[in-house]
Amino acid sequence: MTPAARRAVDLLERVLAAFPSAEHREGQRQMVAHVADAIDSGNPLVIQAGTGTGKTLGYLIPVIAAGGTAIVATYTKALQDQLASVDLPLLTRVVGDDDELAFNWSILKGRNNYVCRQRLSEIESGQEQLEVGDASVHVKRELRRLVDWAESAETGDVADVPFPVSDSAWRKVSLGSDECPGAAKCQFGETCFTELARERATTANIVVVNFSLYGLDLQQDREFLPEHDVVVFDEVHELEDVVSDTASVVITARGVANASEAARKALTTQKQSNALAKSAKDLDEVLLRHAGERFRGALPDDVADILRMVTTQTDGIADRLREKKDETPELLRAKSVIDRLQAEVRAVLESPANMVSFVSENKGVARLTSAPMRVDGVLAPVWDETVGILTSATIPLGLPQRLGLAVEEEDVVRVASPFDYAKNSLLYLAADLPEPNDANRSEAVHQRIAHLVEVSDGSALVLFTSWTALNAAVDALRGSLGTGITLLAQDDMPKKALLDTFRNDERSCLFATRGFFQGVDVPGNALRLVIIDKVPFPALRDPLLDARRELAGAGSFMAIDVPIAAASLAQAGGRLIRTASDHGVVAVLDPRLPTKRYKSRVLEGLSHMPETTSLDDVERFFFKRRR
């Protein structure tokens, strides 16, 4: 063991000794040593840490032992909040009296996660009377509470608000980065919650952010985050998509209309802002004509023409805004929004060859997106300037290379889970069901779900790859799963309340879609069965994936689709065993899987579970555990 690894492992033992009930996990010890060596050598590390390894301490402890400055980037803000409320305070208590190891940390989020003092001032003074006047009585009540809360709030972070807040209310008291003129031009710049959070980050040894903010920092020439020696990407299997999103440019009619409204508030004459508002409506009509299309080469003439019109109009508005000398909040906000829109429209019009432009549509709203074909170029500065630690319970095949790392498959470190999957789990593949395109499939799938739930006596998380399949199953099975077994559906209540109800009612079953494939932590008897309706392959008509498939050529299915499906399936199956005492069955109701050549690759993340195609084996598994 190297000196760096020994120092980190010794700190791990010290942390565990401070908590008598803490578990000593060999996988965690191995991870600590590997991360410590990577930091010491300056080489990147890709490490797959099985469920139950304790990977947050697995990377935090060697980061603390090494000293220096680190960014911990997580996929979700929920994991940020966990680090802030549990792991980092724990480590602070253990090493706080040690001058060599003592550290400070901070949480940093995007601007729209913090309440804006300028917006609060406008609401209190009546400047936002029109917008607030249109709000419901409930939203007005929330706004009053937010104004009162902000007077004594320490962070201004939405996560710290001690009462429920609707999206409608929060949007009225927060700003996006494109709307903010910056601290230097704002009367509340010195007390701005966002700026104070950034200031704290500059003096912290460990700064916790999410992937989106890290990606945005890369796009804005490292404007937001402090310099750092190490970056840890937790749940790295999601990094490619998030970085692609942050590096993308999205233009919508609503965005153009919002820019028009910002200009209207700042200018005395409305001619130019009204013209921009009309262009927003025209843009909506044009984009809807191209919904579902990917543009190869130049943009269609009608799309390019309307974007050029928007460019001309925003240029004129920008000139008028520059003529005004009285820098009111409305003027500063309009300048910021117009500048951002100009940059985005020009970026799409000048879209280089490595970008893919397409129009998507959802509920009648069209979006023009220009996204990078690959993200390795976007991430190249990260690997050049910092030590990258990439970790997840699932590392999809080929992911390091797609992220721009020269890390081959055999170089990925794999740390096994401490859980006894051979004894406590079973993977059931339903080989006898109709194929996904068979007319009889839905009824057969519903009958099999009901059978499995009966065998497990409830406590099932039933996951679907489409809303259509989910709704059909809910309609067919609600009220018929057995006496005392409640069927909870994704739309029944907000996600947190839904999961709390599922945890508290041990025989209930939760039916949901891909949004519940990860981030669901239900240990114990409340979850003994995970059912996945079919292999979660990505959509065949996804414009960005289509472009990547074309780039990959003949092997695109194995290079693009299979790794995505494998990662999603592993995440979904990973909901089952959350503690050493958990047990249960993962059931995949896709008859293609047992016979296809991609089987081993798709099931790689579940290969630690004993496998069967027999319902009798499932029945015996649950029978033994009820004895």
Side-chain angles (χ1 to χ4, degrees), residues 39-171:
I39 295 172
D40 186 58
S41 67
N43 295 319
L45 172 69
V46 182
I47 181 163
Q48 180 171 289
T51 304
T53 300
K55 61 182 170 64
T56 52
L57 292 183
Y59 58 70
L60 286 175
I61 283 175
V63 162
I64 293 167
T69 302
I71 299 288
V72 176
T74 70
Y75 174 50
T76 64
K77 285 179 282 190
L79 184 50
Q80 277 185 280
D81 294 334
Q82 176 193 313
L83 288 165
S85 61
V86 179
D87 301 296
L88 287 167
L90 179 154
L91 292 169
T92 301
R93 289 197 300 273
V94 173
V95 305
D97 58 351
D98 188 323
D99 291 339
E100 290 187 8
L101 294 174
F103 69 98
N104 56 17
W105 56 272
S106 72
I107 302 293
L108 187 57
K109 300 178 181 179
R111 187 174 293 278
N112 61 354
N113 290 278
Y114 300 95
V115 69
C116 172
R117 292 191 184 278
Q118 174 62 44
R119 294 289 284 175
L120 293 176
S121 174
E122 292 170 7
I123 290 171
E124 284 196 287
S125 66
Q127 294 179 49
E128 290 296 299
Q129 187 172 1
L130 177 62
E131 286 79 0
V132 174
D134 291 340
S136 68
V137 173
H138 178 71
V139 169
K140 290 178 183 177
R141 189 179 302 118
E142 288 182 277
L143 291 174
R144 183 68 262 166
R145 296 186 73 185
L146 285 168
V147 169
D148 294 340
W149 167 76
E151 290 180 359
S152 58
E154 292 185 10
T155 66
D157 186 342
V158 64
D160 295 334
V161 178
F163 50 85
V165 180
S166 67
D167 289 341
S168 297
W170 189 256
R171 281 196 298 269

Side-chain angles (χ1 to χ4, degrees), residues 222-242:
R222 300 302 180 96
E223 176 185 346
F224 305 124
L225 303 183
E227 292 186 5
H228 45 284
D229 310 300
V230 178
V231 57
V232 179
F233 291 112
D234 196 347
E235 303 294 353
V236 72
H237 62 280
E238 298 285 359
L239 182 63
E240 183 178 19
D241 286 343
V242 175

Side-chain angles (χ1 to χ4, degrees), residues 160-445:
D160 295 334
V161 178
F163 50 85
V165 180
S166 67
D167 289 341
S168 297
W170 189 256
R171 281 196 298 269
K172 294 183 184 300
V173 298
S174 63
L175 286 181
S177 58
D178 59 331
E179 299 174 279
C180 179
K185 295 183 177 181
C186 177
Q187 62 176 321
F188 296 97
E190 293 185 0
T191 58
C192 171
F193 287 117
T194 303
E195 298 301 326
L196 291 173
R198 291 182 182 178
E199 187 177 325
R200 288 191 294 270
T202 61
T203 60
N205 305 103
I206 298 175
V207 181
V208 183
V209 304
N210 62 20
F211 288 174
S212 293
L213 184 57
Y214 199 94
L216 185 62
D217 186 59
L218 289 173
Q219 291 303 111
Q220 299 296 324
D221 299 321
R222 300 302 180 96
E223 176 185 346
F224 305 124
L225 303 183
E227 292 186 5
H228 45 284
D229 310 300
V230 178
V231 57
V232 179
F233 291 112
D234 196 347
E235 303 294 353
V236 72
H237 62 280
E238 298 285 359
L239 182 63
E240 183 178 19
D241 286 343
V242 175
V243 170
S244 180
D245 286 344
T246 58
S248 298
V249 177
V250 178
I251 296 175
T252 65
R254 181 174 181 175
V256 177
N258 288 344
S260 168
E261 179 63 13
R264 185 190 65 76
K265 292 180 179 180
L267 297 173
T268 54
T269 176
Q270 305 303 307
K271 183 177 179 180
Q272 289 171 305
S273 57
N274 289 343
L276 186 59
K278 182 180 182 304
S279 290
K281 295 179 181 178
D282 294 341
L283 177 65
D284 190 44
E285 294 177 6
V286 169
L287 293 183
L288 284 172
R289 287 202 296 266
H290 294 279
E293 291 184 28
R294 172 163 65 96
F295 305 135
R296 292 170 169 82
L299 297 173
D301 289 343
D302 55 348
V303 176
D305 287 346
I306 189 63
L307 292 182
R308 292 190 189 99
M309 177 62 73
V310 169
T311 297
T312 300
Q313 291 166 339
T314 52
D315 284 346
I317 290 173
D319 289 341
R320 293 298 302 273
L321 293 173
R322 280 192 290 270
E323 292 172 1
K324 294 181 73 68
K325 304 304 181 185
D326 184 15
E327 291 194 329
T328 63
E330 291 81 9
L331 177 66
L332 294 172
R333 194 173 302 144
K335 284 182 176 180
S336 181
V337 172
I338 291 295
D339 286 349
R340 177 70 172 266
L341 179 59
Q342 286 179 303
E344 290 174 339
V345 171
R346 288 196 171 99
V348 173
L349 285 170
E350 301 166 4
S351 185
N354 68 318
M355 302 292 282
V356 181
S357 295
F358 56 91
V359 177
S360 57
E361 181 265 332
N362 183 33
K363 296 181 179 179
V365 177
R367 296 158 54 95
L368 172 59
T369 300
S370 182
M373 188 106 59
R374 298 174 57 95
V375 301
D376 50 353
V378 179
L379 288 167
V382 180
W383 318 135
D384 291 341
E385 300 166 9
T386 57
V387 179
I389 308 297
L390 290 70
T391 186
S392 176
T394 307
I395 304 292
L397 190 67
L399 178 66
Q401 293 85 0
R402 295 199 301 277
L403 297 177
L405 283 174
V407 176
E408 299 301 325
E409 188 65 19
E410 58 269 21
D411 297 324
V412 175
V413 176
R414 288 180 168 80
V415 177
S417 167
F419 300 151
D420 189 349
Y421 287 97
K423 176 183 177 183
N424 293 331
S425 71
L426 183 67
L427 173 62
Y428 166 61
L429 306 180
D432 59 331
L433 288 175
E435 299 231 348
N437 59 353
D438 191 302
N440 298 316
R441 174 171 168 79
S442 290
E443 183 179 355
V445 166

Side-chain angles (χ1 to χ4, degrees), residues 448-458 485 528-529 585 615-623 626:
R448 188 60 51 86
I449 291 171
H451 187 154
L452 290 167
V453 168
E454 179 184 3
V455 170
S456 68
D457 195 29
I485 298 178
R528 297 189 295 269
L529 172 65
V585 172
L615 268 174
D616 291 340
D617 288 342
V618 175
E619 293 172 359
R620 279 191 289 270
F621 177 91
F622 282 115
F623 177 74
R626 283 199 293 269

Side-chain angles (χ1 to χ4, degrees), residues 485-514:
I485 298 178
T486 303
L487 192 160
L488 303 169
Q490 183 167 336
D491 270 353
D492 287 351
M493 59 188 83
K495 186 172 183 177
K496 183 180 184 303
L498 195 63
L499 289 174
D500 287 343
T501 303
F502 182 50
R503 289 187 190 97
N504 295 331
D505 183 352
E506 287 197 353
R507 296 182 67 215
S508 65
C509 295
L510 173 54
F511 285 42
T513 58
R514 290 179 187 250

